[in-house]
Amino acid sequence: MAVVARSGRGGGGSAFSSALRSFFSYRIFVSAMFTLLFFATASVLFSSHPAHLSDNSGIETTGRAYMHRTFLALKSDPLKTRLELIHKQASDHIMLVNAYASYARKLKLEISKQLKVFDDMAQNFSDVGVKPMYRTALFDSDGPVDEEILRQFEKEVKDKIKVARLMIAENKESYDNQLKIQKLKDTIFAVNELLIKAKKNGAFASLIAARSTPKSLHCLAMRLMGERIANPEKYRDEEPKPELEDPLLYHYAIFSDNVIAVSVVVNSVVSNSLEPWKHVFHIVTDKMNLAAMKVWFKMRPVAGGAYVEVKAVEEFTFLNSSYVPVLRQIESANLQKVYLDNKADNETSETKDEKNMKSSGNTKHLSMLDHLKFYLPEMYPKLHRILLLDDDVVVQKDLTALWRVDLDNKVNGAVETCFGSFHRYAHYLNFSHPSIKDKFNPKACAWAFGMNIFDLDAWRRERLTDQYHYWQDLNEDQTLWKLGTLPPGLMTFYSTTKSLDKTWHVLGLGYNPSISMDEINKAAVIHFNGNMKPWLDIAMNQFKHLWTKYVDNEMEFVQMCNFGL
């Protein structure tokens, strides 16, 4: 019993002492933690330094002064806290100004004025901090801050910050690469739009110049017509000479209403011919220009004894609407609508003026002069061969060898124009049409009109004029080809064309400035096909002299009409 009692007392004392030890251990642990936290805080405060305004700034403090102000702030001194905020703002803006100044230095002389502005701004910030009044009252003093001086200091700093922000905003795009890129993109886009507009305007102006009759040409035709009216007895028609139908001579066909252009073609042929008296020129024009054309060749007879015949289309009476599909189509209201009306599907890409100009220009493809080439065997029934020349060509060599070229029983001798995938039949014809798809090869090589030697006997034998009529009738709705006489020519003379050497006929002098003079000098015939005709102001100067040297500048009307050649 006694043992039990001792045991009970001893157990109670042990539990009490254990609890007491736990309590004191907890207090020691908490005290130690607070002590460590205190020393850590003190260590941070003693080792901290404020950000400097700049390398030479007068607004700089030591770690001790900063700690002193911090403890004052902890004592709830509102002016000290306010001073710290002003100090921080000034430091941040000095760093920003210095950053822009550093970038300006890298750009060197390009923005040297901005560099000076940024350097001056940084110096202004520093000068504020080193003013004796501010330094003594705000930074070196351990006493309370003078509110009036602080307010004045704050106003001055904020004014400079405002100026710095305005200056940075004004010059930001000079340093912001993203803004530079966007601005450059906008500039490129704007310039590209102007370029596209200028190209369209230039193309339209070129089209007007190409389609319009120059004042000098109109003047020449009127002068010649006036001469015919003033002296009718001098220009009476003569009896046809037998040489005009002599198949042993060299015959040329030229279809045009341009007097000066025809005269250049004839002069260039005769000037380079070895036997000019053996050459016969068959010139066909429209009724309006017939008198002017006749007067020209009466006033300026062709040198060397060559023969010239001038006729109007209307004199070939078989060319009427009952026989010629093109004449029927000219009278067709449906075809006139295709050629002359504005097409709605072009509204988005062309202006109304551009479309009207193109429409009026396209009517030349309906002119009978342009389609006469398909009636050569009937127009000159006694001839065996004839050389077709366009009015925009210049002959540089004797062409009589063409009458001796073996055409291999084919009809048309022409220079091919294809290279690579360009100028193939697919470029001119609609191969989605079954009539085209079944009869022609889309990869067949195209050739050019402008200088073509025709075997009229083979033409008659092959009945190719009937073939031309067939295709022209089939194309009344413009589904086989759109415009021009080359597509029906390619179809009519398909498999009946003999390819000639390329030196016989060099094309492109009316649109391609990159043709070499070596290629031109080797050519027998050069062709100013394209809009830049040599008699126009828009002609290419590097080629124009090749045409003007055959112009009869001694002719009085050429001088009076001021061709400016």
Side-chain angles (χ1 to χ4, degrees):
M1 190 68 181
V3 176
V4 174
R6 278 198 302 272
S7 297
R9 284 194 302 269
S14 177
F16 176 77
S17 61
S18 176
L20 188 62
R21 282 196 302 272
S22 297
F23 175 74
F24 279 109
S25 297
Y26 175 76
R27 291 194 63 181
I28 291 169
F29 173 76
V30 172
S31 300
M33 290 302 293
F34 273 108
T35 304
L36 287 173
L37 183 59
F38 175 80
F39 281 116
T41 304
S43 176
V44 171
L45 292 174
F46 276 103
S47 61
S48 298
H49 295 273
H52 296 290
L53 292 176
S54 69
D55 293 340
N56 301 318
S57 174
I59 308 178
E60 61 179 1
T61 58
T62 62
R64 181 183 301 170
Y66 183 78
M67 183 191 71
H68 183 66
R69 287 196 303 274
T70 302
F71 276 114
L72 288 175
L74 291 173
K75 293 180 181 179
S76 301
D77 184 347
L79 296 181
K80 291 290 185 180
T81 304
R82 188 168 158 193
L83 179 60
E84 288 300 317
L85 291 174
I86 297 170
H87 176 274
K88 182 72 168 59
Q89 276 188 315
S91 298
D92 290 345
H93 281 80
I94 283 184
M95 291 171 63
L96 188 59
V97 169
N98 282 333
Y100 275 89
S102 176
Y103 193 78
R105 286 189 190 91
K106 291 181 181 179
L107 297 178
K108 297 182 180 177
L109 296 177
E110 294 180 20
I111 49 175
S112 56
K113 292 182 179 178
Q114 293 181 17
L115 172 60
K116 188 175 186 307
V117 170
F118 285 128
D119 282 341
D120 291 345
M121 180 59 64
Q123 187 61 43
N124 288 342
F125 272 112
S126 300
D127 291 344
V128 173
V130 298
K131 285 185 177 179
M133 178 178 65
Y134 297 145
R135 190 167 189 82
T136 302
L138 302 177
F139 299 104
D140 294 342
S141 173
D142 293 336
V145 175
D146 188 326
E147 185 175 2
E148 185 63 31
I149 295 176
L150 178 60
R151 187 180 295 110
Q152 187 177 346
F153 175 71
E154 180 181 20
K155 182 179 182 304
E156 197 166 342
V157 169
K158 286 189 174 181
D159 287 345
K160 294 191 180 300
I161 287 174
K162 183 178 179 181
V163 173
R165 286 178 177 174
L166 288 173
M167 185 177 65
I168 290 170
E170 183 179 343
N171 298 290
K172 187 175 182 180
E173 65 180 57
S174 300
Y175 303 94
D176 190 324
N177 288 335
Q178 194 60 38
L179 281 175
K180 278 185 175 180
I181 292 170
Q182 187 58 47
K183 188 175 181 180
L184 184 59
K185 285 182 178 179
D186 293 343
T187 303
I188 292 172
F189 179 79
V191 170
N192 190 53
E193 288 293 306
L194 291 173
L195 179 62
I196 292 172
K197 186 176 180 180
K199 282 183 175 180
K200 284 185 176 180
N201 290 339
F204 184 47
S206 177
L207 192 63
I208 291 175
R211 297 289 187 241
S212 303
T213 301
K215 184 178 179 180
S216 54
L217 286 182
H218 181 71
C219 167
L220 179 61
M222 292 300 100
R223 293 280 183 182
L224 292 168
M225 192 64 188
E227 173 68 15
R228 172 73 171 80
I229 294 171
N231 303 288
E233 67 285 350
K234 290 174 59 176
Y235 302 105
R236 297 185 185 278
D237 292 337
E238 300 176 355
E239 290 295 321
K241 296 180 180 179
E243 288 83 2
L244 299 179
E245 295 181 336
D246 187 350
L248 299 178
L249 300 180
Y250 305 110
H251 293 264
Y252 301 81
I254 307 171
F255 308 139
S256 174
D257 58 1
N258 187 329
V259 177
I260 195 76
V262 171
S263 72
V264 166
V265 176
V266 173
N267 286 344
S268 67
V269 172
V270 172
S271 299
N272 293 284
S273 174
L274 299 177
E275 299 174 313
W277 59 90
K278 292 185 177 181
H279 294 261
V280 182
F281 297 93
H282 301 274
I283 300 168
V284 182
T285 186
D286 54 27
K287 199 171 184 178
M288 182 182 297
N289 292 281
L290 178 63
M293 196 78 73
K294 285 185 174 181
V295 170
W296 175 279
F297 286 103
K298 280 278 189 178
M299 293 182 69
R300 311 299 295 178
V302 180
Y307 301 94
V308 175
E309 176 191 45
V310 180
K311 284 189 173 184
V313 177
E314 291 77 10
E315 295 181 48
F316 297 93
T317 55
F318 71 92
L319 296 174
N320 52 62
S321 59
S322 62
Y323 177 65
V324 179
V326 167
L327 292 178
R328 287 198 302 273
Q329 291 168 4
I330 290 174
E331 297 170 1
S332 166
N334 290 333
L335 189 66
Q336 288 185 19
K337 181 177 179 62
V338 170
Y339 276 92
L340 303 177
D341 285 359
N342 295 326
K343 299 178 180 63
D345 58 348
N346 289 332
E347 287 289 347
T348 56
S349 59
E350 296 180 324
T351 66
K352 184 177 179 181
D353 289 339
E354 287 173 329
K355 288 185 294 178
N356 287 339
M357 176 54 64
K358 287 188 177 182
S359 298
S360 63
N362 289 339
T363 57
K364 86 180 189 71
H365 298 296
L366 291 175
S367 167
M368 196 57 223
L369 276 178
D370 211 39
H371 290 261
L372 281 181
K373 58 175 73 79
F374 295 104
Y375 299 95
L376 287 170
E378 294 157 284
M379 295 170 68
Y380 308 106
K382 295 184 179 181
L383 302 182
H384 303 308
R385 282 197 178 190
I386 194 167
L387 183 64
L388 175 68
L389 294 177
D390 279 358
D391 63 358
D392 54 355
V393 304
V394 170
V395 176
Q396 300 186 128
K397 295 181 181 180
D398 184 82
L399 300 180
T400 54
L402 285 170
W403 276 262
R404 297 189 294 273
V405 170
D406 184 4
L407 295 180
D408 297 330
N409 294 318
K410 295 185 178 180
V411 177
N412 173 29
V415 171
E416 292 182 336
T417 57
C418 63
F419 59 97
S421 61
F422 297 96
H423 297 289
R424 302 283 177 177
Y425 269 53
H427 179 73
Y428 301 96
L429 304 176
N430 177 19
F431 274 85
S432 64
H433 195 289
S435 297
I436 300 293
K437 185 177 181 181
D438 295 342
K439 292 184 179 294
F440 302 100
N441 179 4
K443 295 183 180 179
C445 188
W447 42 267
F449 279 126
M451 189 220 72
N452 306 79
I453 184 72
F454 289 108
D455 185 334
L456 300 183
D457 293 331
W459 188 323
R460 297 181 187 103
R461 184 177 64 249
E462 296 290 339
R463 301 177 63 87
L464 291 184
T465 301
D466 292 341
Q467 190 76 2
Y468 162 71
H469 285 173
Y470 169 78
W471 291 117
Q472 195 70 46
D473 282 330
L474 201 61
N475 191 52
E476 186 170 1
D477 58 356
Q478 305 289 294
T479 56
L480 275 65
W481 72 88
K482 291 299 180 184
L483 298 173
T485 57
L486 181 57
L490 295 175
M491 300 166 75
T492 301
F493 299 107
Y494 184 66
S495 75
T496 62
T497 297
K498 169 75 173 181
S499 177
L500 301 178
D501 188 276
K502 291 186 181 299
T503 57
W504 279 112
H505 186 194
V506 171
L507 298 101
L509 278 73
Y511 70 89
N512 184 7
S514 62
I515 301 174
S516 69
M517 288 306 299
D518 184 58
E519 185 180 1
I520 290 172
N521 292 332
K522 291 178 181 178
V525 176
I526 54 175
H527 194 169
F528 289 83
N529 58 312
N531 283 338
M532 300 179 184
K533 301 299 185 187
W535 54 84
L536 300 175
D537 291 336
I538 60 173
M540 285 184 279
N541 291 328
Q542 67 266 41
F543 301 142
K544 191 170 183 176
H545 70 281
L546 300 169
W547 183 85
T548 55
K549 68 181 180 180
Y550 293 107
V551 175
D552 188 352
N553 290 305
E554 295 180 2
M555 206 279 186
E556 56 181 306
F557 293 154
V558 172
Q559 298 174 5
M560 292 171 65
C561 290
N562 192 24
F563 269 81
L565 302 173

